[in-house]
Amino acid sequence: MDFSADAWVPGPFGLDALKGSTVQAGRAVLAVAHHVTAATRLADVMPLLETDRRVAVAYTAAPASANTGGLDAHLRGLGGLVLPWRQAISTRWDLVVAAGHGMLEKLHGPVMTVSHGIGPGKLHPRNAGSGPPAARPVSDLIRERLVVGGRVVPSSIVLAHDRHLDMLERECPEARPVAFAGGDPCLDRLVASLPYRREYRRALGVPPGRRLVFVSSTWNEDSLFGRHPDLLLRVAARLPRDEYQVVAALHPNVWSFYGRRQIVAWHADCLRLGVRLFPPEEGWRAGLVAADVLVGDHGSVTCYGAAIGVPVLLGTFPEDAVAPGTHVAGLGAFAPRVDWERPLAPQLEEATHAFSGRIHAAMRGAISSRPGEAARLIRGEMYRLLRLPDRECPPDVPPVPLPVPCGLRAA
């Protein structure tokens, strides 16, 4: 018998859906992950459906990204039914949910897309090649991925903010009629987690009186980690350990591209100094809620931190990679920058005075124009596409789980 990754998986979908059926779910839903980042966002969205006995959910990994390392293992670790891509594109679905783009036109069924990060705020990296450079599209709104073969691929596009709808109108007007502002489920869960700050700090082992410094880097060469590969060692070495504790999150694409063993090995010296590195799947959100100050870049984690009240100090901020007029550009306009030639501790203290409740609220409002409503709006749209009545009970917005950093495992 073939147990390879391409083996056909029996389940409650396709022509043989009823052969082994015990509970005859009326609708089959496919969750498509393009990378681990997308899979973590789907983990916020798919529970809105999975508790309904009328619905059966399966997962698959789309081979459309250079950062699929660890994705298959992650999906299988969730405990869901995981289908090979070949089977997923050969089956008819009542709904397809994706937190990314690419190859979705190959799937049979109405497609709903959600953002896998904080929404359109960065310009897509320019591809290498010998042709002349051209204008770069805004990430999340790339026309060539939204329109394939003369047809808009998604049946529904969930964007977090009304402003994003205007951006979509400029980037791909054909897709605007299927888009709506549905809020940001990640931001809503972060806000729901704020009352548990003390529990998260306790789980991270932060003693009373010690300040927790969160270091965050997105991916690519212009990221904070890309510019400063010794970043965490540099931060840990410059801060007195009896006054500061350091936790860190690297973008899941960094982990996928180099492998978990390599990333941990590169930071073994930092772990020995007490730095706690969050794994790519989860933990960083609890760390944000627990943090006193954040050193970051133009990535989503930095923006989320500023939105929930964490003062931000930018270790790097590549202006040419940021889409003008976006929430990311807004963060770069008021957040102070690190001067790596100066002592770091005074700069962290200065950063705490550079932010106010008004600035944090403005950042939160720039990310989502439907605060606290993402679960309700997204669930309602999924049921509309499924042609099922929504359930009467309101959806839960659970706090994020307690963090388990790599540093705690190593200790």
Side-chain angles (χ1 to χ4, degrees):
M1 185 176 292
D2 183 12
F3 287 102
S4 70
D6 287 330
W8 219 256
V9 177
F13 38 76
L15 295 176
D16 294 331
L18 299 179
K19 285 188 176 179
S21 174
T22 301
V23 176
Q24 295 187 13
R27 299 290 190 273
V29 177
L30 180 69
V32 181
H34 290 76
H35 33 63
V36 172
T37 315
T40 60
R41 181 53 53 90
L42 289 173
D44 287 335
V45 173
M46 300 317 298
L48 299 172
L49 283 181
E50 286 176 318
T51 56
D52 191 334
R53 292 182 180 86
R54 299 173 295 173
V55 177
V57 178
Y59 290 78
T60 193
S65 171
N67 297 292
T68 56
L71 176 57
D72 188 69
H74 173 65
L75 291 179
R76 295 184 187 283
L78 296 177
L81 202 61
V82 181
L83 275 59
W85 179 250
R86 185 168 58 92
Q87 182 178 0
I89 63 176
S90 302
T91 304
R92 182 167 295 281
W93 302 96
D94 297 297
L95 174 64
V96 175
V97 183
H101 297 279
M103 302 181 74
L104 296 177
E105 72 278 3
K106 296 183 178 297
L107 293 159
H108 301 283
V111 174
M112 186 185 83
T113 62
V114 297
S115 295
H116 58 257
I118 205 164
K122 295 190 286 186
L123 298 176
H124 193 268
R126 179 171 285 120
N127 290 348
S130 56
R136 290 183 291 168
V138 178
S139 295
D140 283 359
L141 305 177
I142 300 174
R143 176 184 173 81
E144 291 77 9
R145 296 179 182 175
L146 293 171
V147 177
V148 178
R151 185 177 297 279
V152 176
V153 175
S155 297
S156 181
I157 301 171
V158 184
L159 297 171
H161 203 284
D162 292 322
R163 186 184 67 257
H164 300 157
L165 300 176
D166 297 332
M167 296 174 65
L168 179 62
E169 180 73 42
R170 294 193 300 270
E171 298 285 325
C172 185
E174 299 90 340
R176 174 61 184 84
V178 301
F180 74 102
D184 186 316
C186 180
L187 179 60
D188 288 352
R189 289 196 66 188
L190 282 166
V191 172
S193 303
L194 291 175
Y196 302 94
R197 171 179 163 86
R198 182 179 301 175
E199 285 76 8
Y200 296 140
R201 289 176 69 89
R202 185 182 302 122
L204 290 168
V206 184
R210 189 172 298 178
R211 296 182 64 74
L212 184 63
V213 179
F214 190 118
V215 181
S216 169
S217 175
T218 187
W219 66 290
N220 221 330
E221 294 179 351
D222 58 6
S223 68
L224 186 51
F225 183 49
R227 295 275 178 87
H228 304 285
D230 62 343
L231 169 69
L232 300 186
L233 184 62
R234 181 183 300 197
V235 171
R238 293 186 177 195
L239 296 175
R241 293 183 64 181
D242 59 339
E243 298 178 30
Y244 294 90
Q245 185 167 321
V246 179
V247 295
L250 303 178
H251 194 284
N253 284 359
V254 179
W255 294 82
S256 295
F257 199 79
Y258 293 100
R260 188 178 299 251
R261 182 180 178 89
Q262 181 67 83
I263 295 300
V264 173
W266 276 344
H267 293 97
D269 48 1
C270 307
L271 299 181
R272 285 193 291 269
L273 288 176
V275 175
R276 289 168 181 171
L277 183 63
F278 295 115
E281 301 85 6
E282 189 57 271
W284 65 268
R285 294 189 288 190
L288 270 189
V289 174
D292 294 299
V293 64
L294 186 153
V295 178
D297 54 19
H298 59 308
S300 294
V301 175
T302 312
C303 293
Y304 279 130
I308 64 168
V310 184
V312 168
L313 189 62
L314 294 173
T316 187
F317 194 83
E319 305 279 354
D320 61 343
V322 176
T326 62
H327 51 284
V328 182
L331 176 66
F334 60 75
R337 266 65 164 177
V338 174
D339 181 350
W340 294 105
E341 302 302 318
R342 289 177 53 207
L344 184 58
Q347 297 184 70
L348 295 175
E349 299 307 312
E350 292 164 9
T352 63
H353 300 295
F355 283 78
S356 65
R358 181 181 59 82
I359 291 177
H360 291 303
M363 191 67 196
R364 195 160 54 249
I367 292 171
S368 171
S369 57
R370 304 291 187 274
E373 296 187 71
R376 178 182 63 84
L377 293 171
I378 292 173
R379 191 180 79 173
E381 180 69 357
M382 289 193 289
Y383 278 112
R384 184 187 72 81
L385 293 169
L386 284 168
R387 304 182 311 281
L388 283 176
D390 197 348
R391 287 172 287 174
E392 294 182 1
C393 59
D396 292 331
V397 183
V400 301
L402 293 173
V404 184
C406 300
L408 283 183
R409 292 194 185 98

